[in-house]
Amino acid sequence: MGFIDSYKHLEKLCGEVLNDDRRVSAYIDEMLSTPRGSYYVRTWDEDLKNLKHYRWVRNQISHEPGCTEQNMCEPEDELWLDEFYSRIMNQTDPLTLYHRATRPKPVIKTSPKPTIKAQPESFQKVPTKPTQAISSPNRPNNSKNKRISLSTLALLSLLGIALALFVAIGALIIFEIIHILFQ
């Protein structure tokens, strides 16, 4: 594609993502105005340095006589721009990673569980229906048991399918070996 084409491609995307006509410059400015970006994103400083450098290279090629892609760029420069473009598209670019790391975590509200006070044995109610049972502290919650057993069942099913595929592939390989040996 070429350095300038890769830069234009990235520049257009930055403008669309940030809704700013300054495009790559807007992305750089956003990084510069972000507090402690390198604390939250491992590649922050290197990405910022590269973006500034490639903006400078692009400006040199566009505005300075005698500056061309051939004497200003290495093949790795174009690759880095394309890779950074992909990171923005995959939402693994520095600004997205920073916003993920610093956004408030959602608070899951749970209703408080009712507390049951223990009564002496002589005051405990006897079940009146055959399906009713006295709850025991050693007996796990039935809904939890269903959830665990369903997830266990799903896991066992997947393991069974994987084992069946493994056996089938092994049988096919053995059959092929026997077929080749006895031809």
Side-chain angles (χ1 to χ4, degrees), residues 70-120:
Q70 291 74 26
N71 64 14
M72 294 291 294
C73 303
E74 298 292 326
E76 297 83 35
D77 299 337
E78 177 186 344
L79 292 174
W80 189 91
L81 291 171
D82 293 339
E83 186 267 335
F84 194 79
Y85 179 93
S86 295
R87 287 171 52 200
I88 292 175
M89 293 299 292
N90 295 325
Q91 297 184 342
T92 57
D93 61 290
L95 289 178
T96 303
L97 293 175
Y98 176 84
H99 290 299
R100 272 191 208 144
T102 58
R103 75 175 168 227
K105 305 292 183 235
V107 177
I108 300 172
K109 293 183 180 179
T110 58
S111 58
K113 293 183 180 179
T115 56
I116 301 172
K117 294 182 180 178
Q119 298 177 358

Side-chain angles (χ1 to χ4, degrees), residues 161-182:
I161 291 169
L163 181 62
L165 284 171
F166 182 75
V167 169
I169 291 171
L172 285 173
I173 291 171
I174 291 171
F175 178 76
E176 282 296 317
I177 292 171
I178 292 172
H179 181 73
I180 291 170
L181 289 175
F182 293 107

Side-chain angles (χ1 to χ4, degrees), residues 20-75:
D20 193 316
D21 291 335
R22 296 174 305 123
R23 299 174 275 227
V24 171
S25 291
Y27 196 99
I28 291 169
D29 290 345
E30 185 74 21
M31 288 182 77
L32 289 171
S33 67
T34 301
R36 301 178 59 205
S38 60
Y39 176 78
Y40 291 101
V41 180
R42 183 178 44 86
T43 62
W44 187 273
D45 292 330
E46 182 181 343
D47 289 333
L48 179 58
K49 177 183 161 195
N50 282 336
L51 284 171
K52 287 171 141 183
H53 173 71
Y54 293 133
R55 179 182 60 180
W56 178 82
V57 170
R58 181 255 179 211
N59 288 338
Q60 292 297 306
I61 293 170
S62 297
H63 302 294
E64 292 297 318
C67 291
T68 64
E69 283 187 43
Q70 291 74 26
N71 64 14
M72 294 291 294
C73 303
E74 298 292 326

Side-chain angles (χ1 to χ4, degrees), residues 2-28:
F3 175 84
I4 291 294
D5 286 337
S6 292
Y7 188 89
K8 287 179 183 178
H9 201 59
L10 176 62
E11 191 169 49
K12 183 174 187 281
L13 180 63
C14 288
E16 291 169 357
V17 168
L18 296 174
N19 195 25
D20 193 316
D21 291 335
R22 296 174 305 123
R23 299 174 275 227
V24 171
S25 291
Y27 196 99
I28 291 169

